[in-house]
Amino acid sequence: MQTHSEANTLYTPLHRSIEINKIKGRYKGTAVENTSDLCLRPYCIKAANYLLESIDETINPCEKFYEFACGKYIKNAIILSESSEQSTMSQISKKLRYTIADLLSSNRTKKSKAITNARRLYSSCIDEGAIETEGVDVIMSMINKELGGWPVLQGSAWNESTFDFDRLMLKLSQYNSYIFYTVNTDVDEKNSSIRSIHAIEMVNNIRNIFITMVNQSTWMDSKSKIIAIKKARAMKAKLGYPDYLESDNMTKLDKDYAEYNFNLSYMPNVLSAIQLHSKASLQMLRYPIDSKQWTGISPTKINAMHRLLANEILFPAVILQTTLFDRDAPKYLNYGGIGFIMGHEIAHGFGDERKEYDLNGNEVLWWTNSTVNTFDIRKKCINEQYDNYTLTQVNHSINGRKTQNENVADDAGLKQAFFAYQQWAKTHKNVEKKLPGLSKYSAEQMFLLNFGHIWCTKITDESLHSNLVLAQHSPAQFRVRGPTSNFVEFDRVFGCKVGQGNSRVNKCNVW
Ligand SMILES: [Zn+2]
């Protein structure tokens, strides 16, 4: 099996070619770079590699910025038969799967029943021989005994007279499967308790920029501005994972998973896991809200989240890594990567659906009617902009209305992150070094290049079609083109003329 360390070898060839080019005194296509201006830390070499392997310099960024940032990446990407896309995000996901598989198959003993149990579940899952031998017996027996049978599967043996519909619904609900009604738990909409603020420097810098944007907005009235700023200040940020996972003390972990007892048979393990998970969700109703708890997203989820009822934003550990973030990365890369994601999630707290939740996540109407009306006019501009985009790969247009909340958040996210980086750079002059092979690009251009890179995607037609139907986000290329073409700073940074392919004349701005 391929391990995640093998995946890292992806970065070696460039390192080698940089060394060779150094000897020759030239980098590919560029004049000699002054090494004192270059960042030669291992992470910078790695970042230079992925960006050089991504950008297509034959394309004019003012015309097609996404193609400029991702052209080479897309050309060289290979969609394996078992997947539907290769993208920057799917590569993070792949690396994560290898890492988790390594952890679950390792024999390192940790005195934790929960971890031993997780490893047992994993080994039952990869034991394909045992799964084959077991066949469908476990499932069929569960359907017959617990669900009272199933007509399609039983044919003439099906006995309608013994069938109990209510019992079936109850049983399905225990397996977290609700057909006619749904039951789940979340924070009470009218009374959620305020949780403690935990944020890092970057989130706070971006939040401060958002507050400035609210203050400077010409379309919000002062009453709505005051409430919006209070809400932005109170928004809690959670990063990485719940605090209790940081210590070696496994008491809480073992307590949370005390009822899970896996054996070596995969299917019974899965059925029991579904039941216990469903029960745990319902039990949340009985317990007070734990402010440190992570709800709705796990540390291994490659995503970020805004929870409107809690007025909080969450950034799982797995998203805080290459190419979105690294401790050793120049700030222009981090702000263009995770900074954009942070700005996007902050903006969700002030989007269309969210206007009726206040700083504590409680339901009230806190925007004035005139502010709501002006917001709607601005949003309409963005809707029409995206409605006019066509995915040439499948010759299909985008639904601006369906994706509107995400498009508005993308637009705001890019601006917040960019201005937050500018602010940071003002107080940290001459700190940021350039990347080898990319020294002709300014820090602001590099910010935009990394922003473009995080969305590089090669995807199958089938997958693109189903995304168009199901997804709330615009396809990757428009998550880059939409916000950059509305941004005057993009034009300035790349020296674009308004009206070029990647620069709209009528720039839509909500924030
Ligand atoms: Zn979003």
Side-chain angles (χ1 to χ4, degrees):
M1 192 177 77
Q2 194 186 13
T3 67
H4 67 282
S5 57
E6 275 177 62
N8 280 342
T9 58
L10 188 71
Y11 301 113
T12 318
L14 176 86
H15 198 190
R16 205 178 298 129
S17 76
I18 282 173
E19 289 305 315
I20 293 164
N21 284 330
K22 251 193 211 163
I23 296 162
K24 288 182 185 166
R26 289 185 69 81
Y27 289 102
K28 205 166 30 175
T30 59
V32 180
E33 291 176 312
N34 182 350
T35 47
S36 67
D37 294 339
L38 297 181
C39 171
L40 295 171
R41 293 193 299 269
Y43 187 83
C44 291
I45 305 282
K46 186 169 157 176
N49 182 30
Y50 76 68
L51 287 170
L52 283 168
E53 291 300 315
S54 185
I55 59 178
D56 179 352
E57 292 185 315
T58 65
I59 295 188
N60 180 351
C62 294
E63 293 294 343
K64 292 180 168 187
F65 181 65
Y66 174 75
E67 287 78 355
F68 172 75
C70 296
K72 202 189 279 181
Y73 179 96
I74 293 167
K75 187 166 167 265
N76 293 327
I78 297 165
I79 304 174
L80 299 172
S81 56
E82 70 268 19
S83 62
S84 56
E85 69 173 61
Q86 187 192 311
S87 62
T88 306
M89 297 294 180
S90 79
Q91 283 178 298
I92 298 176
S93 161
K94 191 172 167 188
K95 193 174 150 209
L96 172 74
R97 284 201 303 277
Y98 293 141
T99 307
I100 290 181
D102 279 354
L103 287 170
L104 288 173
S105 45
S106 102
N107 287 323
R108 271 182 300 152
T109 40
K110 263 217 160 157
K111 283 184 188 151
S112 162
K113 185 177 162 249
I115 293 175
T116 309
N117 235 329
R119 287 185 176 142
R120 209 177 289 146
L121 175 64
Y122 178 70
S123 57
S124 78
C125 175
I126 56 167
D127 190 350
E128 291 179 48
I131 293 171
E132 286 293 328
T133 311
E134 213 170 74
V136 293
D137 291 355
V138 179
I139 290 283
M140 287 307 291
S141 140
M142 189 274 275
I143 290 171
N144 290 334
K145 287 185 189 151
E146 294 196 49
L147 306 186
W150 208 266
V152 176
L153 297 172
Q154 287 176 294
S156 57
W158 162 253
N159 183 354
E160 196 181 339
S161 65
T162 58
F163 176 67
D164 181 342
F165 181 79
D166 291 340
R167 180 167 167 267
L168 173 66
M169 289 298 111
L170 177 70
K171 274 287 163 192
L172 283 175
S173 72
Q174 287 169 358
Y175 284 98
N176 214 11
S177 181
Y178 299 94
I179 295 176
F180 295 111
Y181 54 92
T182 60
V183 180
N184 51 39
T185 52
D186 207 332
V187 180
D188 184 313
E189 295 196 11
K190 298 281 179 194
N191 179 27
S192 61
S193 58
I194 302 170
R195 299 165 188 216
S196 63
I197 295 171
H198 170 68
I200 57 166
E201 184 195 340
M202 206 165 158
V203 184
N204 283 333
N205 290 350
I206 293 168
R207 179 207 310 265
N208 287 338
I209 293 294
F210 183 78
I211 290 169
T212 308
M213 284 160 73
V214 171
N215 251 326
Q216 290 175 350
S217 79
T218 50
W219 57 274
M220 285 182 101
D221 56 38
S222 55
K223 191 175 165 232
S224 303
K225 276 185 185 177
I226 290 166
I227 304 171
I229 290 167
K230 267 191 189 167
K231 181 174 178 177
R233 289 213 170 103
M235 190 178 274
K236 286 141 285 178
K238 290 179 178 170
L239 293 119
Y241 40 79
D243 292 345
Y244 78 90
L245 287 178
E246 202 148 20
S247 75
D248 278 339
N249 184 346
M250 298 290 160
T251 317
K252 177 163 166 52
L253 188 73
D254 282 345
K255 190 169 160 255
D256 286 353
Y257 290 90
E259 286 187 77
Y260 289 71
N261 272 307
F262 296 125
N263 55 39
L264 294 175
S265 301
Y266 177 63
M267 207 35 94
N269 285 347
V270 170
L271 292 173
S272 128
I274 295 172
Q275 274 186 308
L276 287 164
H277 186 73
S278 177
K279 188 174 146 195
S281 296
L282 292 171
Q283 274 176 342
M284 269 177 66
L285 276 173
R286 288 197 224 143
Y287 300 113
I289 297 161
D290 174 1
S291 64
K292 289 179 181 156
Q293 193 168 329
W294 279 53
T295 306
I297 197 162
S298 72
T300 52
K301 182 90 179 162
I302 301 168
N303 214 329
M305 194 180 191
H306 169 262
R307 290 185 64 231
L308 72 154
L309 298 182
N311 193 24
E312 69 178 11
I313 44 179
L314 299 100
F315 305 94
V318 70
I319 204 167
L320 299 166
Q321 61 167 319
T322 318
T323 57
L324 294 127
F325 173 82
D326 193 277
R327 230 177 22 186
D328 289 334
K331 290 283 191 291
Y332 49 74
L333 296 181
N334 285 343
Y335 275 87
I338 196 69
F340 162 77
I341 307 274
M342 287 170 171
H344 172 107
E345 298 304 334
I346 290 172
H348 270 316
F350 306 86
D352 192 32
E353 288 172 0
R354 329 296 198 208
K355 61 197 169 208
E356 63 279 17
Y357 293 89
D358 69 1
L359 78 161
N360 300 329
N362 294 326
E363 198 179 7
V364 286
L365 188 66
W366 60 276
W367 280 17
T368 62
N369 285 341
S370 73
T371 294
V372 171
N373 292 340
T374 45
F375 177 86
D376 285 346
I377 292 166
R378 287 171 170 259
K379 195 184 63 190
K380 195 163 164 263
C381 179
I382 292 202
N383 286 358
E384 286 169 2
Q385 173 190 359
Y386 284 76
D387 271 340
N388 279 320
Y389 288 147
T390 301
L391 267 169
T392 47
Q393 186 183 336
V394 288
N395 192 26
H396 201 291
S397 58
I398 308 293
N399 185 333
R401 194 174 171 77
K402 194 161 72 97
T403 53
Q404 62 183 4
N405 291 328
E406 298 301 335
N407 299 336
V408 169
D410 281 350
D411 203 63
L414 179 66
K415 285 176 189 154
Q416 289 172 69
F418 186 86
F419 291 134
Y421 173 69
Q422 271 190 336
Q423 191 73 29
W424 181 89
K426 250 187 232 167
T427 50
H428 296 79
K429 286 206 166 76
N430 304 321
V431 176
E432 297 267 81
K433 292 195 168 187
K434 302 197 167 203
L435 296 189
L438 293 156
S439 62
K440 64 178 166 183
Y441 297 108
S442 70
E444 290 176 339
Q445 286 174 331
M446 292 298 290
F447 167 102
L448 288 160
L449 273 178
N450 206 40
F451 162 68
H453 176 76
I454 64 170
W455 298 113
C456 294
T457 304
K458 186 173 196 164
I459 187 166
T460 61
D461 294 354
E462 295 75 25
S463 204
L464 202 49
H465 271 298
S466 72
N467 281 0
L468 280 170
V469 177
L470 301 169
Q472 294 172 338
H473 300 91
S474 289
Q477 59 178 287
F478 299 114
R479 299 194 70 173
V480 176
R481 184 171 161 191
T484 50
S485 65
N486 281 330
F487 196 20
V488 286
E489 288 290 289
F490 173 85
D491 294 351
R492 180 186 62 78
V493 167
F494 279 102
C496 306
K497 289 195 193 79
V498 174
Q500 280 190 275
N502 209 93
S503 170
R504 282 170 63 84
V505 177
N506 173 25
K507 296 201 185 304
C508 303
N509 291 297
V510 168
W511 296 104

